[in-house]
Amino acid sequence: MTAAVQFQSRRSSKILRNVGFLALPLLVLFWSLADLTLGRELLEWVPYLASGFGMNILIALCAMALGTLVGVLFGILELVPYRLLRYPVVAYVQIFRNAPHLVLIFATTYIFPFEIVVFGNYLPFPDWVKAVIGLAIPASAYVAEITRGAILSIPTTQWEAAKGLGLSRNQALRWIILPQCLRRSLPPWMNVAASITMGTALASLVGVHELLHAATDASTAVRRLDFTVIAYIVVMAAFFTLCYPIARLTRRLERRFNAA
């Protein structure tokens, strides 16, 4: 009887999740069909909105790639016995873990030049690259803490076994410890990825052509209140459609790793 109740509960929960996942897209569809002129206006602006959303995805991917590379390195450096290396990294992590993303995006936008000189040639330094750096900084701080925690979670017997096999500390870290850290750090890393993805909307405030900026341009051009409302619902639906599967996959990985 208990198993049947649990099965029914899981089934109901799954149905509710699917309904929630489709709620915003269905709202946009039904609203557009209810007012055909509104639907036509929205359809004309869909390619423009899609190009902006592509920039959000590009910024998120680049920021997480850069943040992960720096974060893994800094996470390892947080555990080295040399204070001259460890203390600056710890300070970096503590500062930028608690820094607002918007402040960092504004800082990188105005600190870095608008163009750089390479062998006498002037090359533009786009605002979206500055946004990538601004979001990669907090991402690297979070990933550093994730990496540090994952390494510390490995039992000391693993290090001792590697030493018994004649491996150096660097070899043990590379071939034994870090592969085990990967599965432990993946769920929190995906949470950071979802957070950074949602934070890409802040790039619109420094002039980057992304989805929120595109929706603002569209609403300004059309000048209809109902279109403005549905445009921002489309923005919310797009981010939800992108981030919700990440959240679901994160929970699934957490349950799998905890059961292992």
Side-chain angles (χ1 to χ4, degrees):
M1 187 67 178
T2 303
V5 171
Q6 292 178 350
F7 174 77
Q8 185 65 30
S9 177
R10 288 196 298 267
R11 183 179 179 184
S12 300
S13 178
K14 184 177 181 180
I15 293 174
L16 288 175
R17 288 196 300 268
N18 291 335
V19 170
F21 184 70
L22 296 174
L24 288 175
L26 289 176
L27 175 61
V28 173
L29 177 62
F30 290 149
W31 197 347
S32 301
L33 293 176
D35 187 344
L36 294 181
T37 60
L38 177 63
R40 284 195 294 269
E41 291 281 6
L42 181 61
L43 191 61
E44 291 178 1
W45 284 96
V46 163
Y48 188 71
L49 296 174
S51 66
F53 194 46
M55 179 57 71
N56 288 98
I57 296 175
L58 177 62
I59 293 174
L61 290 176
C62 293
M64 282 307 301
L66 180 59
T68 300
L69 290 175
V70 176
V72 170
L73 176 61
F74 281 9
I76 296 172
L77 290 178
E78 281 190 283
L79 299 174
V80 298
Y82 309 109
R83 295 181 180 179
L84 289 178
L85 287 177
R86 186 173 73 250
Y87 284 176
V89 172
V90 171
Y92 172 94
V93 171
Q94 294 304 317
I95 290 172
F96 292 116
R97 276 182 65 204
N98 300 287
H101 295 182
L102 180 59
V103 174
L104 294 175
I105 289 176
F106 269 107
T108 53
T109 298
Y110 293 108
I111 288 175
F112 290 102
F114 292 98
E115 57 184 12
I116 56 177
V117 181
V118 179
F119 301 113
N121 297 316
Y122 288 86
L123 301 178
F125 199 163
D127 287 337
W128 73 268
V129 176
K130 300 175 186 178
V132 166
I133 299 172
L135 290 173
I137 291 172
S140 65
Y142 285 115
V143 172
E145 282 295 277
I146 292 171
T147 303
R148 183 187 66 85
I151 293 174
L152 291 177
S153 70
I154 303 298
T156 56
T157 53
Q158 297 284 335
W159 293 96
E160 295 171 357
K163 185 178 180 180
L165 292 173
L167 298 178
S168 66
R169 184 176 179 84
N170 290 335
Q171 289 174 330
L173 182 66
R174 179 180 179 182
W175 299 111
I176 297 178
I177 304 301
L178 287 181
Q180 295 181 71
C181 292
L182 177 62
R183 60 179 294 177
R184 302 187 182 206
S185 60
L186 187 57
W189 181 90
M190 294 179 68
N191 282 329
V192 175
S195 176
I196 294 299
T197 300
M198 291 184 286
T200 58
L202 298 173
S204 65
L205 299 178
V206 292
V208 177
H209 171 68
E210 48 75 58
L211 180 57
L212 184 60
H213 191 275
T216 302
D217 289 345
S219 63
T220 302
V222 176
R223 294 185 180 181
R224 287 180 55 176
L225 179 60
D226 53 354
F227 180 85
T228 299
V229 173
I230 199 172
Y232 287 113
I233 290 177
V234 169
V235 172
M236 186 165 55
F239 278 104
F240 180 80
T241 304
L242 181 61
C243 295
Y244 180 75
I246 298 176
R248 292 295 308 156
L249 181 58
T250 301
R251 293 184 61 183
R252 182 174 299 179
L253 290 174
E254 288 176 345
R255 288 196 298 267
R256 180 180 298 178
F257 293 159
N258 290 334

